[in-house]
């Protein structure tokens, strides 16, 4: 029989690992502010191969987005405020970027695969940018990509609510065509902050 205490400590250890890893990424991201040179925000442990299902029911891997810039966000469709706000921010950034925005693929990955089915994801992403793609998968597949991308997310049961919620980290990732993390944006970063930073990356590529 599994020991509940051991399971509890293992769970806490994994959560701590993910939080520490993401804090290190956030420190790097903040270092990009101001007039400092643009440096990729990355660690050897960030990212990696994955297999998921898109909002059309197709099996996909990280190779399907090879060669494209990505704006990537992890959240869930039942999120009452934070997720729709951040996805709307991504939409606005892409619209402001115009032709440059077409170089960037917006991606929404659920951290709640039990409720966020293919059909639910398809209906949800239609509320935002027309080029959004949504990814879901099995619980095991989502747990795998969460660990690889340093995403914290855990189910929370609230007796005052009819549905559970999900407590999760909220950052927008900007990835280069090789899947390398270039920048990450916090909730406090404005559309203008993101747009200016992304333009600098795209300009750097054009001038290189």
């Amino acid at each position: 029989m599994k020991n509940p205490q051991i399971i509890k400590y293992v769970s806490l250890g994994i959560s701590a690992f993910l939080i520490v890893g993401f804090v290190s990424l956030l420190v790097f991201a903040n270092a990009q502010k101001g007039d400092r040179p643009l440096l990729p925000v990355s660690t050897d442990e960030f990212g990696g191969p994955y297999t998921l299902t898109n909002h059309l029911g197709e099996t996909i891997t990280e190779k399907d987005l090879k060669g494209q810039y990505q704006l990537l966000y992890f959240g869930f469709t039942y999120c009452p405020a934070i997720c729709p706000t951040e996805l709307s921010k991504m939409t606005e950034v892409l619209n402001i970027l115009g032709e440059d925005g077409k170089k960037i693929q917006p991606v929404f990955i659920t951290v709640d695969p039990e409720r966020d089915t293919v059909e639910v994801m398809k209906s949800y992403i239609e509320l935002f940018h027309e080029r959004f793609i949504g990814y879901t998968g099995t619980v095991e597949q989502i747990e795998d990509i969460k660990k690889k991308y340093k995403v914290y997310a855990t189910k929370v049961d609230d007796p005052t609510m009819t549905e559970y919620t999900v407590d999760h980290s909220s950052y927008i990732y900007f990835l280069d065509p090789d899947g390398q993390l270039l920048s990450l944006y916090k909730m406090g970063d404005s559309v203008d902050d993101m747009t200016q930073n992304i333009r600098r990356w795209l300009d750097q590529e054009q001038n290189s």
Side-chain angles (χ1 to χ4, degrees):
M1 181 179 293
K2 295 181 179 178
N3 188 319
Q5 285 296 107
I6 293 177
I7 295 175
K8 175 181 177 182
Y9 290 130
V10 169
S11 177
L12 289 173
I14 293 173
S15 297
F17 167 76
L18 293 175
I19 292 171
V20 169
F22 211 96
V23 167
S24 67
L25 291 175
L26 186 56
V27 169
F28 279 115
N30 285 335
Q32 294 187 91
K33 300 262 184 191
D35 297 325
R36 298 181 184 181
L38 288 172
L39 298 173
V41 183
S42 185
T43 69
D44 293 338
E45 297 81 20
F46 179 83
Y50 60 79
T51 300
L52 296 171
T53 303
N54 69 15
H55 64 281
L56 299 177
E58 301 166 333
T59 299
I60 55 87
T61 72
E62 76 289 347
K63 296 177 182 177
D64 288 282
L65 294 179
K66 189 79 171 177
Q68 301 179 66
Y69 286 95
Q70 299 173 52
L71 271 180
L72 175 63
Y73 185 77
F74 289 81
F76 65 114
T77 66
Y78 281 71
C79 184
I82 294 175
C83 295
T85 297
E86 296 305 287
L87 295 178
S88 295
K89 188 188 296 184
M90 291 168 63
T91 297
E92 192 171 349
V93 168
L94 293 174
N95 288 337
I96 293 172
L97 287 170
E99 286 299 311
D100 282 340
K102 294 179 181 179
K103 301 176 183 177
I104 304 168
Q105 176 62 61
V107 184
F108 174 54
I109 300 180
T110 184
V111 294
D112 184 18
E114 295 176 52
R115 292 182 296 191
D116 288 342
T117 62
V118 168
E119 294 76 15
V120 170
M121 291 293 282
K122 185 176 186 301
S123 297
Y124 190 73
I125 61 172
E126 289 175 352
L127 301 173
F128 304 98
H129 197 277
E130 60 185 9
R131 291 194 300 104
F132 248 110
I133 54 178
Y135 289 166
T136 185
T138 65
V139 172
E140 292 76 19
Q141 288 172 332
I142 296 300
E143 287 300 315
D144 178 62
I145 194 170
K146 279 167 51 182
K147 291 176 183 176
K148 289 175 177 174
Y149 283 78
K150 303 296 185 289
V151 174
Y152 170 79
T154 186
K155 184 188 295 188
V156 178
D157 289 309
D158 186 340
T160 66
M161 302 174 64
T162 56
E163 291 278 358
Y164 67 83
T165 187
V166 180
D167 184 20
H168 66 95
S169 53
S170 180
Y171 295 91
I172 298 172
Y173 302 78
F174 183 46
L175 309 182
D176 76 3
D178 292 320
Q180 183 181 39
L181 179 61
L182 297 177
S183 293
L184 60 88
Y185 309 108
K186 309 182 299 299
M187 286 190 293
D189 291 329
S190 68
V191 167
D192 186 57
D193 292 332
M194 290 176 58
T195 304
Q196 288 188 30
N197 182 260
I198 290 172
R199 281 196 192 280
R200 290 178 66 201
W201 278 114
L202 297 180
D203 288 344
Q204 178 172 286
E205 177 202 42
Q206 292 172 359
N207 297 327
S208 61

